[in-house]
Amino acid sequence: MVRKAAKADVKAASTRKPNMREAILAAAEELFSTYGFNAVSVRDIAQAAGANPGSVTYHFKTKDGLLLEIYRRHCGPMNRRRSELLAAARRVRDLQDRLEAIVRAYVLPAFTSGSDLAGGGTRFTRLRAIMSAEGNEVVRKIIAQTFDDTSHAFIDAIHESLPHIPRTDIVWRSHFLLGALYYSLVTPERVSRLSRGSADGADAGHAIEQLVRATAASLQAAPLDQATPARRKALVSAKGER
């Protein structure tokens, strides 16, 4: 009887509020981006959405399914746009211009998404940063499922442009780009503050070009195994102190 009543309540709730699914998604995204995945319960999400917990499970089965849907709806369009721009970048003849075009193809969609679904703007970027930091196995699988194919395509394209740089080094440097991208989107006011107002951290166009130039330069740095003798000595010393 209780189970039947619960199902009836869910059906009635979704009949009364046809946008309940969207309300649940919005509430979950806000809570996850503020408190993380582990600290938020299905009951918390339902309460924030003005729903009952049964509505959450009716639409998304589990909290994991809800997070996966958030990633899909934001990152599907962003990844498609990145792939389009990457295809165009790979056709650029000049190697330096091509490298910058590849990096720009990765960076640009994250900035130009604004508040639409193609990347989700600041809130979804904050959610991604928190999810990445939590170390939850479910979250790691969702992130890998959402981004790994696109990431491999960009790393391969960079390696084609810089064949003398080991792919492992490119992976590391691409990893640093992702961190810089998160930080630039989430805390643009820091640039304004530290530049004492001479730069506007919220200027997306300028931020994109700074990221592109800095990343292209780091990608072209000498491979780690070609360090100068002094640097190699410092690396050996650092390893010995561990």
Side-chain angles (χ1 to χ4, degrees), residues 1 12 41 64 106 123 134 146 181 192 211 213 220 241:
M1 291 292 290
S41 68
D64 301 353
Y106 185 83
R123 184 172 70 177
E134 275 196 332
T146 306
L181 182 58
S192 303
L211 267 172
R213 294 286 182 88
Q220 295 174 87
E241 292 172 359

Side-chain angles (χ1 to χ4, degrees), residues 12-76:
S14 48
T15 302
R16 289 194 304 270
K17 297 182 179 180
N19 62 342
M20 180 56 72
R21 190 175 190 276
E22 291 300 313
I24 291 168
L25 280 167
E29 188 176 325
E30 181 62 35
L31 289 171
F32 291 155
S33 69
T34 303
Y35 303 107
F37 183 76
N38 297 332
V40 175
S41 68
V42 168
R43 187 173 296 278
D44 294 330
I45 296 166
Q47 184 175 1
N52 60 61
S55 295
V56 179
T57 55
Y58 173 78
H59 287 289
F60 303 101
K61 308 299 183 187
T62 64
K63 191 172 73 162
D64 301 353
L66 179 49
L67 182 64
L68 177 60
E69 180 59 24
I70 290 171
Y71 267 83
R72 279 176 175 165
R73 74 200 305 260
H74 283 298
C75 300

Side-chain angles (χ1 to χ4, degrees), residues 39 60 66 72 88 97 114 117 122 125 140 159 163 180 215 225 228-229 236:
F60 303 101
L66 179 49
R72 279 176 175 165
D97 291 343
L117 292 184
T122 301
T125 302
R140 274 199 292 264
H159 196 209
T215 302
D225 62 2
T228 62
V236 171

Side-chain angles (χ1 to χ4, degrees), residues 70-90:
I70 290 171
Y71 267 83
R72 279 176 175 165
R73 74 200 305 260
H74 283 298
C75 300
M78 183 167 66
N79 283 338
R80 284 192 292 274
R81 181 58 177 153
R82 279 176 167 166
S83 295
E84 291 169 1
L85 293 172
L86 178 61
R90 293 177 104 153

Side-chain angles (χ1 to χ4, degrees), residues 98 112 213:
R98 184 195 306 164
T112 56
R213 294 286 182 88

Side-chain angles (χ1 to χ4, degrees), residues 12-235:
S14 48
T15 302
R16 289 194 304 270
K17 297 182 179 180
N19 62 342
M20 180 56 72
R21 190 175 190 276
E22 291 300 313
I24 291 168
L25 280 167
E29 188 176 325
E30 181 62 35
L31 289 171
F32 291 155
S33 69
T34 303
Y35 303 107
F37 183 76
N38 297 332
V40 175
S41 68
V42 168
R43 187 173 296 278
D44 294 330
I45 296 166
Q47 184 175 1
N52 60 61
S55 295
V56 179
T57 55
Y58 173 78
H59 287 289
F60 303 101
K61 308 299 183 187
T62 64
K63 191 172 73 162
D64 301 353
L66 179 49
L67 182 64
L68 177 60
E69 180 59 24
I70 290 171
Y71 267 83
R72 279 176 175 165
R73 74 200 305 260
H74 283 298
C75 300
M78 183 167 66
N79 283 338
R80 284 192 292 274
R81 181 58 177 153
R82 279 176 167 166
S83 295
E84 291 169 1
L85 293 172
L86 178 61
R90 293 177 104 153
R91 293 193 292 270
V92 175
R93 289 181 177 273
D94 182 84
L95 287 179
Q96 180 66 30
D97 291 343
R98 184 195 306 164
L99 180 62
E100 292 191 3
I102 290 168
V103 176
R104 192 175 289 107
Y106 185 83
V107 171
L108 184 64
F111 275 90
T112 56
S113 62
S115 60
D116 61 20
L117 292 184
T122 301
R123 184 172 70 177
F124 182 64
T125 302
R126 188 171 67 242
L127 182 149
R128 286 176 61 193
I130 291 173
M131 296 298 104
S132 296
E134 275 196 332
N136 182 291
E137 185 58 34
V138 170
V139 173
R140 274 199 292 264
K141 287 180 179 177
I142 289 173
I143 291 172
Q145 181 178 337
T146 306
F147 289 111
D148 276 9
D149 287 347
T150 304
S151 297
H152 278 300
F154 273 90
I155 290 166
D156 290 343
I158 293 168
H159 196 209
E160 288 168 10
S161 300
L162 299 170
H164 61 290
I165 304 292
R167 192 177 187 279
T168 303
D169 285 16
I170 293 171
V171 169
W172 272 110
R173 296 167 192 185
S174 301
H175 187 64
F176 301 150
L177 166 61
L178 185 58
L181 182 58
Y182 283 160
Y183 209 67
S184 299
L185 285 164
V186 175
T187 59
E189 69 281 356
R190 187 172 186 271
V191 171
S192 303
R193 186 179 73 252
L194 293 181
S195 68
R196 296 187 175 130
S198 62
D200 179 8
D203 183 339
H206 196 68
I208 289 167
E209 292 311 308
Q210 288 284 7
L211 267 172
V212 169
R213 294 286 182 88
T215 302
S218 75
L219 287 166
Q220 295 174 87
L224 198 60
D225 62 2
Q226 294 179 14
T228 62
R231 190 179 305 165
R232 196 176 298 122
K233 184 178 179 181
L235 288 169

